[in-house]
Amino acid sequence: MPSYTVTVATGSQWFAGTDDYIYLSLVGSAGCSEKHLLDKPFYNDFERGAVDSYDVTVDEELGEIQLVRIEKRKYWLNDDWYLKYITLKTPHGDYIEFPCYRWITGDVEVVLRDGRAKLARDDQIHILKQHRRKELETRQKQYRWMEWNPGFPLSIDAKCHKDLPRDIQFDSEKGVDFVLNYSKAMENLFINRFMHMFQSSWNDFADFEKIFVKISNTISDLMFGYQFLNGCNPVLIRRCTELPEKLPVTTEMVECSLERQLSLEQEVQQGNIFIVDFELLDGIDANKTDPCTLQFLAAPICLLYKNLANKIVPIAIQLNQIPGDENPIFLPSDAKYDWLLAKIWVRSSDFHVHQTITHLLRTHLVSEVFGIAMYRQLPAVHPIFKLLVAHVRFTIAINTKAREQLICECGLFDKANATGGGGHVQMVQRAMKDLTYASLCFPEAIKARGMESKEDIPYYFYRDDGLLVWEAIRTFTAEVVDIYYEGDQVVEEDPELQDFVNDVYVYGMRGRKSSGFPKSVKSREQLSEYLTVVIFTASAQHAAVNFGQYDWCSWIPNAPPTMRAPPPTAKGVVTIEQIVDTLPDRGRSCWHLGAVWALSQFQENELFLGMYPEEHFIEKPVKEAMARFRKNLEAIVSVIAERNKKKQLPYYYLSPDRIPNSVAI
C-alpha cells in the first residue's frame, strides 16, 4: 500500500504548541485518503518549535496530491495551534510543500494547498476553484470594514485587540499595551519622579535637560532648518516658487539673513527660498479635556533660506495664517526670546502634523487599508498575497490597539497633546484631501515639492536614501510581477487582483476620484509601482518618520506636545519665564517622553526589510529574486554607512537594516 511521510512544523512563538488531537487526510486527483490521527506513542507531539514526522499509509493510489486537510479536535481544553507548514514525501520520492503560517483555533478543519503560487486562471480543477472561493468567503466574514470616524479611511471592524482574527493578533498583547509601555518607559528613563507634579511648570529652560537630551542644540537656526530635511517630519518643506500673499515679508525684513546680495524675490527665482506652511492646523480645536490647563495651537508659516554653505536656515516666521498687527512676522534679527519662542511654536506645530498626519494617517492607517483589502480579496495561494503578507504583519493589530488606548476618547493622546480631545480627528478629516496616490509614490512626492535636485539641496539624506530603497523595492516587485504575469492582459484579467485594488480605492480612499488611487491596474508596470507603494509605505516611509522620534522629540522645547499660552501678538515682550510657562508642564512632558521612547523601539524579534522567514513562496525564480533584493539592500546599507562615517550627525533611519518590514509599532 502507498505510504507517505508527513512532516509537520509547529511555530516557535509563545503558546504555539498544542495537546489537541490532529488528524490529516490527503486529497488527490485519483481519490481521498481516510482521516489519520497524527500521534506517536510515548511522545509529546506538536510542541512549540517542533518538527515532527509521521508515516501515513493509504489503501490505494491517490494520484497527484491537490489538498491536505488538517482537522483539530479538543483533547481537554481548547488549545490553539500555530502550524507553520506541512511537507509531504510521496511514494515516488517527490517532496510537496504546503505552507500554512496560521493559527488553528477551536475544533476546525483547515484545508491547505501546495506552495506554488497560482492566479485564478491557473485553477481549472473544480475542487481548487471551490477551495479558493471558500477561503475568500470566510475571510470576508472575518475581515469587515468599519468607519471609526467620519471621513477617515475605513479600518477593521473590531472594538479591541482580542476581537481580531487570531492570525493577525500580536503573539503577546502585553507587549503592545500602550499604558504599560509608556509607564515602563518613564520608569526606564527615571522620569516617573516628576509625575506627581502634573500641573507644575519647570523651573527654567535648562531644567528640561534634566529629563533628557538626545541630540543637543536642536533649536539653533542650523539644526532647526536641518530637521525639515532629515528630522522626524522631512516631508513638509517645499521650494518656494512665489511668496504667498498671506505672508507679507519683504527684502528689508530679511536682508540681514540673505548672503548673495540679492532681493528676496531674486532669491525666490534662483530657488534659494523654501517654505513650510502649517495651514492644516488653522482653526483646529485645542484640547479642552483638562479644565485645569488651557492649551493652544497655532498655524505658522515658516520661510527658510539656503545659505552659501548650502544649509537651510529659517529667516521669517508668522505664527498664524492671516497677516495683521497682532500677527507679526518674527525674524532672526528680533529680540532673542521673541525669535526663540517663534521657533518653538513652529516645532510644536510640526510635532502635531507629524504625529497625526505624516505618521498616523499616511503610514499606519494607509497600511491598514492595504492589509484589510489583501485579506479580503487575495487567497493565500495568490502570488500578490504571498508577496505582501510580510508587509502587513501586526499592522491591523497595532492600529486596533491604538484606537483602543491611544487615540480614542479619553485615551493617552488626550493626556499630553494639544490636538487631543478631538483635534487630531479634525486634522485627519482635513488631510484626507491631500492623501493622493501620487503623494505616496516617493519620487513623485519629492518632485512635487521641488526638492529633487541633489546639486541644489545636497544634505537631504531622507530623499537620497529613500530613492535608493524605493528603487530596490521597485526592481524586486517588477521581477515578481514578471514571473507570474507574462503580459499586461494577464494583469487586467486577474479578478482577485482587481478586487484588491478596488477595495483600497472604495473603502480606503472612500471612492474619492481626486485621490488619484487607481480603481484597477492595467499593466505589469502599473502593478509593480502599486506594490512598491504598498511595501515602501509600510516599511521605509514608516521607519523614516517613526524611529527618530526619541532622537528629535526627547528635548521638550524642540517638540512641545502642547503649549499653555497663546502665540505672542507683539514683539519685544517675550521673556524666558514666559517661554517656560508656555511649554508643557512636568507631567505632560513625562507622558510625552514616555511616548516617544516607546514608539522608537523595535519589536522583539523584529523582521527587517528583505527578511522573509515565512516561506510562502516555494518557487526557485522568486527565491532568487528575493536573494537579489537582499543583495541590493545590503549594498544600500554599505553606501549609507560609508556616508555616515564622515557625518557628525549620521542619518540612518532609511538604512535597510533598520527598516522593519511592516508598521508594527
Side-chain angles (χ1 to χ4, degrees):
M1 290 189 292
S3 179
Y4 294 81
T5 302
V6 177
T7 302
V8 181
T10 297
S12 55
Q13 56 270 67
W14 288 106
F15 312 115
T18 187
D19 289 326
D20 283 357
Y21 296 111
I22 303 298
Y23 298 91
L24 174 138
S25 53
L26 304 174
V27 179
S29 56
C32 181
S33 76
E34 294 292 313
K35 193 163 70 172
H36 293 265
L37 174 65
L38 300 181
D39 182 45
K40 287 189 274 195
F42 312 111
Y43 178 75
N44 203 344
D45 304 274
F46 316 115
E47 286 290 279
R48 174 185 165 209
V51 178
D52 301 315
S53 292
Y54 304 86
D55 290 324
V56 172
T57 303
V58 297
D59 295 334
E60 55 190 7
E61 182 65 50
L62 299 176
E64 184 184 349
I65 301 299
Q66 294 165 339
L67 300 170
V68 168
R69 287 199 176 105
I70 293 288
E71 197 176 319
K72 187 168 82 67
R73 293 290 174 238
K74 185 166 67 176
Y75 169 66
W76 181 247
L77 298 170
N78 266 325
D79 194 10
D80 295 350
W81 179 40
Y82 189 87
L83 172 60
K84 287 171 70 177
Y85 60 82
I86 287 175
T87 303
L88 201 62
K89 184 184 177 186
T90 70
H92 308 293
D94 299 324
Y95 286 87
I96 310 172
E97 294 177 50
F98 294 82
C100 181
Y101 300 104
R102 302 207 311 259
W103 285 97
I104 299 176
T105 61
D107 286 358
V108 291
E109 180 185 83
V110 172
V111 183
L112 303 178
R113 288 187 57 166
D114 77 76
R116 292 170 297 171
K118 299 287 183 183
L119 301 177
R121 70 169 199 161
D122 299 327
D123 285 340
Q124 300 301 321
I125 303 166
H126 173 72
I127 194 170
L128 298 181
K129 288 181 178 179
Q130 186 184 45
H131 175 266
R132 200 173 190 115
R133 190 184 71 249
K134 279 188 173 177
E135 182 184 7
L136 288 182
E137 285 172 357
T138 302
R139 290 237 215 97
Q140 284 164 14
K141 288 173 187 168
Q142 289 179 311
Y143 295 83
R144 302 174 305 278
W145 295 104
M146 175 194 75
E147 183 179 67
W148 187 65
N149 261 301
F152 273 51
L154 295 196
S155 48
I156 196 78
D157 184 6
K159 286 190 171 64
C160 57
H161 181 267
K162 69 176 187 296
D163 293 344
L164 294 171
R166 182 69 180 90
D167 286 329
I168 60 169
Q169 290 182 24
F170 281 104
D171 296 334
S172 165
E173 190 181 356
K174 188 180 174 186
V176 286
D177 186 297
F178 286 107
V179 177
L180 196 68
N181 285 352
Y182 288 14
S183 303
K184 189 169 71 178
M186 288 187 280
E187 202 173 300
N188 289 347
L189 296 166
F190 302 107
I191 54 172
N192 49 345
R193 64 188 186 276
F194 295 114
M195 284 304 292
H196 69 284
M197 303 181 277
F198 201 83
Q199 305 290 343
S200 67
S201 294
W202 297 90
N203 295 325
D204 55 42
F205 203 61
D207 209 20
F208 284 100
E209 295 183 16
K210 288 180 184 171
I211 55 173
F212 201 73
V213 179
K214 184 72 192 282
I215 297 173
S216 61
N217 209 18
T218 43
I219 217 150
S220 70
D221 284 1
L222 276 173
M223 291 299 282
F224 179 92
Y226 176 89
Q227 288 179 79
F228 284 119
L229 298 176
N230 301 308
C232 277
N233 199 19
V235 302
L236 297 186
I237 188 170
R238 58 178 59 245
R239 198 187 290 273
C240 181
T241 54
E242 187 180 358
L243 291 167
E245 286 183 19
K246 63 185 180 180
L247 181 66
V249 64
T250 65
T251 300
E252 290 69 37
M253 288 179 180
V254 297
E255 62 186 344
C256 66
S257 299
L258 306 180
E259 299 179 353
R260 295 178 177 85
Q261 278 72 55
L262 299 173
S263 69
L264 182 57
E265 288 73 17
Q266 288 170 321
E267 294 279 17
V268 168
Q269 287 163 13
Q270 290 208 0
N272 297 322
I273 302 296
F274 299 83
I275 193 165
V276 180
D277 188 348
F278 295 94
E279 185 179 16
L280 182 84
L281 287 165
D282 191 28
I284 295 293
D285 293 333
N287 193 339
K288 295 182 178 65
T289 58
D290 180 359
C292 300
T293 305
L294 289 174
Q295 299 181 62
F296 298 89
L297 294 166
I301 308 167
C302 180
L303 209 61
L304 300 116
Y305 176 62
K306 185 184 73 172
N307 64 21
L308 288 172
N310 284 325
K311 301 293 172 68
I312 304 287
V313 293
I315 58 171
I317 294 170
Q318 182 178 284
L319 292 180
N320 278 301
Q321 293 286 307
I322 300 169
D325 293 341
E326 294 195 342
N327 187 21
I329 296 174
F330 291 95
L331 308 164
S333 54
D334 288 341
K336 175 183 172 183
Y337 294 133
D338 283 359
W339 182 234
L340 180 60
L341 184 56
K343 286 190 291 181
I344 290 172
W345 268 107
V346 171
R347 295 299 318 137
S348 182
S349 302
D350 190 67
F351 174 80
H352 295 308
V353 172
H354 164 259
Q355 285 291 10
T356 304
I357 308 307
T358 308
H359 184 210
L360 173 64
L361 172 61
R362 296 179 70 88
T363 63
H364 277 258
L365 300 186
V366 167
S367 290
E368 181 176 6
V369 165
F370 291 136
I372 299 170
M374 181 201 77
Y375 280 112
R376 285 175 56 80
Q377 303 299 351
L378 298 176
V381 74
H382 197 288
I384 305 305
F385 178 92
K386 290 172 180 279
L387 176 66
L388 295 184
V389 67
H391 300 287
V392 298
R393 177 177 178 256
F394 298 147
T395 300
I396 300 170
I398 194 71
N399 288 0
T400 302
K401 203 72 186 163
R403 286 186 287 269
E404 190 183 341
Q405 290 187 323
L406 192 63
I407 56 174
C408 55
E409 199 173 334
C410 304
L412 293 178
F413 208 79
D414 289 358
K415 280 187 183 292
N417 293 298
T419 50
H424 60 305
V425 172
Q426 295 170 0
M427 287 173 71
V428 170
Q429 290 164 336
R430 279 191 193 181
M432 279 296 286
K433 69 175 175 25
D434 298 317
L435 179 56
T436 63
Y437 180 72
S439 73
L440 296 179
C441 293
F442 190 79
E444 285 185 50
I446 296 288
K447 276 182 190 166
R449 294 187 285 112
M451 301 295 290
E452 69 273 20
S453 173
K454 293 187 182 186
E455 195 178 337
D456 279 357
I457 313 159
Y459 302 114
Y460 198 11
F461 308 127
Y462 162 74
R463 170 203 61 205
D464 300 343
D465 300 354
L467 288 170
L468 291 175
V469 176
W470 172 274
E471 190 54 33
I473 295 171
R474 194 203 60 76
T475 301
F476 172 53
T477 59
E479 287 186 22
V480 175
V481 166
D482 287 352
I483 290 167
Y484 295 102
Y485 296 89
E486 61 264 34
D488 293 345
Q489 191 178 349
V490 185
V491 171
E492 206 167 352
E493 292 176 357
D494 179 352
E496 292 162 343
L497 172 67
Q498 301 302 340
D499 287 344
F500 162 64
V501 171
N502 189 57
D503 244 31
V504 171
Y505 173 74
V506 171
Y507 299 106
M509 297 308 117
R510 312 302 300 269
R512 282 186 308 110
K513 203 172 179 181
S514 59
S515 72
F517 267 76
K519 297 179 189 178
S520 60
V521 287
K522 301 186 184 302
S523 69
R524 294 194 294 182
E525 187 178 355
Q526 193 185 2
L527 173 56
S528 171
E529 181 186 72
Y530 194 93
L531 297 172
T532 304
V533 166
V534 176
I535 295 172
F536 186 89
T537 301
S539 58
Q541 187 58 27
H542 179 255
V545 303
N546 182 71
F547 291 103
Q549 290 187 77
Y550 189 48
D551 291 348
W552 292 106
C553 302
S554 57
W555 194 49
I556 305 298
N558 191 53
T562 190
M563 299 287 262
R564 294 180 296 148
T569 55
K571 294 188 180 189
V573 294
V574 177
T575 64
I576 189 64
E577 291 77 21
Q578 188 181 333
I579 292 176
V580 171
D581 287 342
T582 299
L583 286 164
D585 57 52
R586 294 172 191 249
R588 286 181 175 82
S589 297
C590 294
W591 270 116
H592 166 82
L593 196 54
V596 298
W597 184 87
L599 290 169
S600 298
Q601 306 306 303
F602 292 123
Q603 285 283 344
E604 194 179 347
N605 304 320
E606 189 72 81
L607 297 176
F608 294 98
L609 193 57
M611 293 169 66
Y612 296 102
E614 292 185 354
E615 294 196 42
H616 291 274
F617 282 114
I618 65 165
E619 297 97 320
K620 190 178 177 185
V622 192
K623 291 191 173 186
E624 288 171 346
M626 286 177 167
R628 284 190 294 274
F629 181 39
R630 280 191 290 273
K631 198 171 179 182
N632 287 344
L633 294 173
E634 285 163 12
I636 295 169
V637 170
S638 300
V639 168
I640 293 171
E642 190 59 36
R643 179 201 64 213
N644 283 342
K645 277 182 194 173
K646 303 162 194 163
K647 298 293 172 193
Q648 206 172 351
L649 185 59
Y651 182 83
Y652 49 79
Y653 306 121
L654 282 170
S655 183
D657 57 347
R658 292 172 177 256
I659 298 175
N661 256 334
S662 63
V663 176
I665 188 70

